Amino acid sequence: MSSREVVILSVGGVRFVTRASTLQQFPESRLARMLNDDDREFKLVNGEFFVDRDGALFSYIMDFLRTLQVSLPTDFSDYQGLQREAEFYGLYPLADLLSQEHLLKPRLEILEVRFSLQEMQAFFRIFGSCSTTIEALAERITVFTGQQSGQGWSSPFLPQKPLVPLPLERPSHHDMVFLCGTEYSAGDQFVARYVSIKPDNRKLINGTNVLGLLLDTLLKDGFRLISTRTAVSEEKVECYTFERMKRAAGLTITVNQTPGSSGVAQARRSQVQKGK
């Protein structure tokens, strides 16, 4: 059978269409031997290979053969079942990865927003259990500064002079600090700080509005608000705690054909960072 030919499989009543070359990624697997009529477990019926196995789990087998990556949904739980299927098909590199369940399971990610109002300024501090999430969020938040004349912190009007972006304070890889509002400078001059959070293009000076936009941004990013509390009652520091399941890093298998291996695929593990 040519590697360019289309192969149809019916696994537990679920139909899959793929190329022979995809099934031959691991030459010693049962799927590769199936193409040579070398495995009685696979019955050829009306041009389709039939096998009485779990069709839902086989979809992950096919995804692995097409990408050489193990990338499972955050709600996936049947690791032992999928490992059993991988062993049945003779895909032992995949079975080996699945046996290391801790590498594949999504992890709970915690993020905390602290917010306080002091006179005409609002202070924000964001803590996160995942430093890459904090880094990505810091790239979306910009603080601009400029001077105003005789305007309060709730004024919607921007100063006439161009605003200057300020770097966020990063006490550590796991948190950031910024503020918005106005503070007295000299005479009737005020130093104003505006906050912008991408993809929203507005520059907000009112702390309550910035807080609303920040919380909405986190909810859209897949976080779930699990608690609100007053962290420091004297300073009226409000604390908002979020959580979400962070997808595990994808695991990639690199197939190497080595001399003298009779075409046996050699597998090597490496981690590839997926979406956050």
Side-chain angles (χ1 to χ4, degrees), residues 87-159:
E87 290 173 348
F88 170 81
Y89 292 109
L91 297 170
Y92 298 109
L94 173 59
D96 177 55
L97 289 181
L98 291 167
S99 68
Q100 303 179 63
E101 205 172 304
H102 65 283
L103 295 177
L104 298 169
K105 279 187 173 180
R107 299 178 182 178
L108 184 64
E109 181 179 356
I110 302 295
L111 189 141
E112 183 179 275
V113 176
R114 294 196 173 196
F115 167 75
S116 65
L117 289 174
Q118 298 179 17
E119 297 182 350
M120 294 188 296
Q121 292 184 310
F123 294 82
F124 294 84
R125 187 162 194 169
I126 305 175
F127 301 85
S129 61
C130 178
S131 61
T132 55
T133 296
I134 295 297
E135 188 68 34
L137 188 59
E139 292 178 357
R140 298 172 62 181
I141 298 176
T142 306
V143 178
F144 298 90
T145 185
Q147 286 194 331
Q148 291 179 310
S149 298
Q151 296 183 35
W153 82 304
S154 60
S155 172
F157 300 105
L158 296 177

Side-chain angles (χ1 to χ4, degrees), residues 116-118 230-238:
S116 65
L117 289 174
Q118 298 179 17
T230 301
V232 183
S233 57
E234 295 81 6
E235 298 178 6
K236 297 182 180 179
V237 178
E238 300 175 13

Side-chain angles (χ1 to χ4, degrees), residues 173-192:
H173 293 299
H174 288 272
D175 62 339
M176 72 177 80
V177 179
F178 62 92
L179 60 88
C180 66
T182 59
E183 60 181 342
Y184 179 75
S185 176
D188 62 347
Q189 296 292 312
F190 289 86
V191 175

Side-chain angles (χ1 to χ4, degrees), residues 158-251:
L158 296 177
Q160 295 181 351
K161 294 182 179 180
L163 295 175
V164 179
L166 295 175
L168 299 179
E169 291 185 41
R170 297 293 308 277
S172 75
H173 293 299
H174 288 272
D175 62 339
M176 72 177 80
V177 179
F178 62 92
L179 60 88
C180 66
T182 59
E183 60 181 342
Y184 179 75
S185 176
D188 62 347
Q189 296 292 312
F190 289 86
V191 175
R193 287 184 176 87
Y194 299 80
V195 174
S196 176
I197 306 177
K198 297 176 182 178
D200 194 295
N201 293 321
R202 292 175 296 169
K203 294 180 177 65
L204 303 177
I205 193 172
N206 184 287
T208 303
N209 293 341
V210 173
L211 176 64
L213 178 58
L214 176 60
L215 300 185
D216 185 58
T217 299
L218 294 174
L219 292 172
K220 289 180 179 179
D221 283 352
F223 281 97
R224 182 171 67 93
L225 180 63
I226 58 174
S227 71
T228 59
R229 60 188 175 87
T230 301
V232 183
S233 57
E234 295 81 6
E235 298 178 6
K236 297 182 180 179
V237 178
E238 300 175 13
C239 180
Y240 301 82
T241 304
F242 294 81
E243 70 175 17
R244 74 174 175 184
M245 296 303 293
K246 181 176 181 294
R247 184 184 295 275
L251 294 176

